Amino acid sequence: MHDKQRTAINRRNFLRAFSGASTVAVATAAATFTPSEALAYDPGEEETGPRYQETDHVKAFYRVNGYETLDK
């Protein structure tokens, strides 16, 4: 019985030490992290141009679903 208690205590101590060491490692990594300057994304001409075009099939969709009646 004494051996089982001794093993359980050793496991507990190991887990305590392991969790403490991992906490220290995370804190150290966070402290040494230096943020860099953010870079802006340039989408270019193709992505910033107008995409919506009121073509015949779009007009037909609006007509069929009754969106023309909203204008009146």
Side-chain angles (χ1 to χ4, degrees), residues 14-33:
F14 170 75
L15 292 174
R16 285 180 190 154
F18 182 73
S19 65
S22 64
T23 303
V24 170
V26 169
T28 304
T32 59
F33 176 72

Side-chain angles (χ1 to χ4, degrees), residues 9-57:
I9 291 171
N10 285 337
R11 287 182 189 161
R12 287 185 188 135
N13 287 336
F14 170 75
L15 292 174
R16 285 180 190 154
F18 182 73
S19 65
S22 64
T23 303
V24 170
V26 169
T28 304
T32 59
F33 176 72
T34 57
S36 61
E37 186 176 332
L39 302 175
Y41 170 71
D42 183 19
E45 290 293 323
E46 185 177 309
E47 293 184 26
T48 57
R51 292 190 175 134
Y52 177 77
Q53 297 176 359
E54 198 167 323
T55 57
D56 290 335
H57 72 278

